[in-house]
Amino acid sequence: MAENTEQKLDRAQVKKAVQALQAFLKTKSGGDKLLLDDTQHISIMFTLWKIPRKAQTIRIPLPHAQRSDTEEVCLFTRDEPNMTSDQTQRFYKRLLEERGVKYISEVIPFKVLKTEYKPYEAKRRLLGNFDMFLSDDRIRRLLPSHLGKHFYERKREPLSVNLQSKNLARDIHKVIQGTMMKVTKKGCCCMARVGHSGMTADELTENIESAVEMVKAKLYTKGPVIKLIHVKSLTSVALPIYTSELSHLTVLEDKDAQEAKKKSAADKNQKRKKSKAAKKEGTAAEKKVKKENAEDGEKEGEEEIPQLVPIETPRKKPKLEKPSKKKQLEKAPKAAAVKKGRKAQKKLAKKPGKMDSKVKRKVPKVK
């Protein structure tokens, strides 16, 4: 939660801004009676020093009703067992009348929402016909898939109400006449509706003061948070009602430095812890290895030592003696003579016919 270190609002400044805004809206309407009934919404805009880290939705109860009687409110209810859609609709309308609940103009059971408002055009028509939507908290989780994204893009999503509450009129009146502000992580500006142009200046100032105090108390940040606060309508310029002191900058810088130091110290501690854990794991692993080695050595000592057996190497073949040169010379001619004889025999075997023909053709000599 945010600490109340900021200075308080100046009530006189807030009232002056509200009166100036109302005068501007009257001059813009031009004194037409028909346009005086068409009230405009008045909102306050917060500018924060930092973009929030977490998104949140803040519900703000207001001392004076910030909605006019002409606004339409729709209530989504669950389907009662053993009842048709018409019967459940009549049942909840009767319940609201008995409890004294006002401002609700239409009751739609969940079954009717699923069937009649399933097309895209029907959903857009439903969004344009009503200014606010409420839902039974028992069916709140089922509505996003049936309503569509346009309800949530325009920030018109249904607000949950407990229809089984004993103080039903008070709870619904608080939700309808109160307001809400959405704080996102996308920017440093956020708005909340606090009234309409038909309210008096005192009522608007009281609503603004209560809204600012509630926002300061419920924001998820510490130290000075709000930088600027403006009042504006849909068609007017934003009028400032609060400006933070520049001394908050030094406070924020000091806090940032402290946070950075804390983060660095935490990172160092984590690194040390990791290194210590790694060392412990290393020492434990070494001890385990030593124990295993010692156990293995003991087991080896207990076992019998095997005897060494000599390995028989293959014997080398004896070298053949080379014949001397004299013997080679003696053997050589014999081999040549044998070869010549073989060649002569082959020639004789190959040409026996030729020899016969030569013998036969011998011519006798003439005397």
Side-chain angles (χ1 to χ4, degrees):
M1 300 296 177
E3 298 175 356
N4 294 326
T5 56
E6 289 127 345
Q7 58 185 358
K8 292 183 178 181
L9 284 174
D10 187 1
R11 187 181 178 86
Q13 181 68 22
V14 175
K15 193 171 182 179
K16 285 180 183 179
V18 169
Q19 288 175 350
L21 185 61
Q22 287 178 337
F24 170 77
L25 294 175
K26 284 181 181 179
T27 56
K28 191 171 183 181
S29 64
D32 194 354
K33 292 182 180 180
L34 294 175
L35 292 176
L36 286 174
D37 296 332
D38 189 11
T39 58
Q40 290 194 25
H41 301 163
I42 295 176
S43 306
I44 54 175
M45 183 173 66
F46 294 89
T47 304
L48 308 179
W49 280 107
K50 285 184 176 182
I51 296 174
R53 295 181 180 177
K54 294 182 180 180
Q56 69 177 117
T57 302
I58 302 173
R59 286 197 177 186
I60 304 169
L62 298 174
H64 303 283
Q66 55 97 12
R67 295 183 183 274
S68 61
D69 298 335
T70 58
E71 293 189 8
E72 301 288 333
V73 181
C74 178
L75 174 65
F76 298 114
T77 62
R78 77 162 192 171
D79 298 322
E80 290 295 327
N82 301 324
M83 286 188 186
T84 62
S85 299
D86 296 335
Q87 289 175 351
T88 54
Q89 189 176 11
R90 288 195 295 269
F91 171 75
Y92 280 106
K93 282 184 177 180
R94 195 184 310 115
L95 177 66
L96 295 174
E97 288 177 0
E98 291 175 357
R99 298 291 182 89
V101 179
K102 299 178 181 179
Y103 304 109
I104 293 178
S105 55
E106 187 66 27
V107 176
I108 299 176
F110 184 63
K111 190 174 182 180
V112 175
L113 178 65
K114 288 192 294 183
T115 55
E116 296 184 7
Y117 294 97
K118 188 175 181 180
Y120 175 77
E121 295 178 356
K123 292 177 183 178
R124 294 292 298 270
R125 200 182 311 117
L126 177 65
L127 181 61
N129 290 338
F130 297 97
D131 300 297
M132 187 178 182
F133 296 92
L134 303 177
S135 70
D136 190 352
D137 57 358
R138 293 171 289 184
I139 62 166
R140 178 68 181 82
R141 60 185 178 82
L142 304 174
L143 292 177
S145 59
H146 295 282
L147 289 177
K149 63 180 181 179
H150 298 285
F151 282 78
Y152 297 88
E153 286 178 353
R154 297 188 183 182
K155 300 180 181 179
R156 301 275 295 281
E157 66 272 15
L159 302 176
S160 60
V161 177
N162 184 12
L163 296 179
Q164 297 176 334
S165 176
K166 295 180 179 179
N167 299 319
L168 184 60
R170 186 193 65 186
D171 295 342
I172 291 179
H173 182 77
K174 188 185 292 185
V175 173
I176 292 174
Q177 299 304 338
T179 187
M180 62 183 295
M181 187 180 75
K182 285 194 171 184
V183 182
T184 63
K185 300 184 289 184
K186 297 179 181 179
C188 59
C189 293
C190 44
M191 293 183 67
R193 180 179 167 183
V194 292
H196 55 87
S197 58
M199 298 173 66
T200 62
D202 293 329
E203 290 176 349
L204 284 171
T205 52
E206 290 178 4
N207 283 356
I208 289 169
E209 287 178 348
S210 62
V212 171
E213 293 299 325
M214 186 62 67
V215 169
K216 286 181 180 179
K218 288 190 175 182
L219 276 174
Y220 290 150
T221 51
K222 294 181 180 180
V225 180
I226 300 171
K227 182 179 180 181
L228 299 169
I229 302 175
H230 294 82
V231 181
K232 70 183 295 293
S233 68
L234 295 174
T235 58
S236 69
V237 182
L239 303 176
I241 59 174
Y242 171 81
T243 303
S244 179
E245 294 180 355
L246 294 176
S247 60
H248 294 329
L249 283 172
T250 56
V251 176
L252 290 170
E253 289 175 357
D254 294 339
K255 287 189 174 181
D256 291 339
Q258 290 177 1
E259 289 179 357
K261 287 181 180 179
K262 287 180 180 179
K263 285 183 179 180
S264 62
D267 294 337
K268 288 180 181 178
N269 291 329
Q270 288 181 356
K271 288 180 180 179
R272 288 176 184 173
K273 288 179 181 179
K274 287 180 180 179
S275 62
K276 287 181 181 179
K279 287 180 180 179
K280 287 181 181 179
E281 289 178 357
T283 53
E286 289 177 358
K287 288 180 180 178
K288 286 183 180 179
V289 172
K290 287 180 181 179
K291 285 182 180 179
E292 290 176 356
N293 293 332
E295 290 176 357
D296 294 337
E298 291 177 358
K299 289 180 181 179
E300 290 177 357
E302 292 175 358
E303 293 178 357
E304 294 181 358
I305 298 171
Q307 295 180 358
L308 298 174
V309 179
I311 298 171
E312 294 182 359
T313 57
R315 295 179 179 178
K316 294 182 179 179
K317 293 181 180 181
K319 293 182 179 180
L320 298 173
E321 295 180 357
K322 293 181 179 180
S324 59
K325 291 182 179 179
K326 291 181 179 180
K327 290 181 179 180
Q328 287 178 1
L329 294 172
E330 290 177 355
K331 289 180 180 180
K334 290 182 180 179
V338 172
K339 287 181 181 178
K340 286 180 180 179
R342 286 178 183 174
K343 286 181 181 179
Q345 288 177 2
K346 284 182 181 178
K347 287 180 180 179
L348 292 173
K350 284 181 181 178
K351 300 177 181 180
K354 291 181 179 181
M355 295 295 291
D356 296 339
S357 61
K358 287 179 180 180
V359 172
K360 288 179 181 181
R361 288 179 182 179
K362 287 181 178 181
V363 180
K365 295 180 179 180
V366 181
K367 293 181 179 180

